[in-house]
Amino acid sequence: GAVVSQHPSRVICKSGTSVKIECRSLDFQATTMFWYRQFPKQSLMLMATSNEGSKATYEQGVEKDKFLINHASLTLSTLTVTSAHPEDSSFYICSARDPRGARDQPQHFGDGTRLSIL
Amino acid sequence: QKEVEQNSGPLSVPEGAIASLNCTYSDRGSQSFFWYRQYSGKSPELIMFIYSNGDKEDGRFTAQLNKASQYVSLLIRDSQPSDSATYLCAVRGKNAGNMLTFGGGTRLMVKP
């Protein structure tokens, strides 16, 4: 079963709207979660690392004021796309790693959120 | 040079054949290696991970790691049309904590 839950799966909204995406770790606590963006026919691009209780770490070229990340609990990280525009339309995916068990536990991905800005 | 490199493909193989997917990485200190499969419009799903040199088998899948040559590969035996997807190689560096670095992915097409 899914170990990372992402919601919503699809959003269609007007330009200028702010959109919040939730990522939850199920059955484990994740001090770190990752947010990716994927444009059609392209690979995953890491946007930011979400750190529980502290500021997120953004990758170069990603606007932190545009993509607000909140990781207020050990099982929930949220990504808010503020004042979204058509160029923000993309597939947003979160991931988290269960820290228990073997040292090489993989990251598990949520099902992704397809964002379409009209 | 990209940190993790894959041939974008498409790699086309007939049904029942062996598909061989390759990945090279630049960080010699990398410790953990993962293969994910991604169907169109879906998020990646884990197939296998490997961290010791040699082969690791799981059903029709075999991951091969050669740290001296800095490459990791994935073999899919008895390929099925349902294996058609993009395969992503991911590497966790020595000091990367939880972060993975992904290759660009190889698109595999298995033809009936």
Side-chain angles (χ1 to χ4, degrees), chain B residues 40-62:
Chain B
S40 181
K42 302 294 185 181
S43 69
E45 55 180 325
L46 180 71
I47 297 176
M48 292 188 71
F49 64 91
I50 186 170
Y51 54 84
S52 297
N53 274 326
D55 295 0
K56 180 181 179 182
E57 187 175 318
D58 183 1
R60 294 187 297 112
F61 300 97
T62 299

Side-chain angles (χ1 to χ4, degrees), chain A residues 32 34 36 38 43-44 46 49 91 93 97 103-107 109-112 114, chain B residues 31-32 34 36 38 41-44 46 49 51 88 92 98-100 102-105:
Chain A
T32 306
F34 301 93
Y36 295 86
Q38 188 175 36
S43 189
L44 296 172
L46 179 66
T49 302
F91 191 45
I93 316 171
R97 174 175 169 262
R103 64 181 172 92
D104 293 298
Q105 287 280 58
Q107 283 188 25
F109 287 87
D111 287 339
R114 188 160 302 283
Chain B
Q31 298 189 327
S32 309
F34 305 85
Y36 288 85
Q38 187 178 24
K42 302 294 185 181
S43 69
L46 180 71
F49 64 91
Y51 54 84
L88 301 169
R92 178 178 292 143
N98 290 324
M99 196 173 83
L100 296 180
F102 284 86

Side-chain angles (χ1 to χ4, degrees), chain A residues 15-29:
Chain A
S15 184
T17 306
S18 291
V19 178
K20 180 186 281 189
I21 303 169
E22 293 187 348
C23 181
R24 294 181 185 274
S25 57
L26 308 177
D27 301 325
F28 67 93
Q29 295 180 330

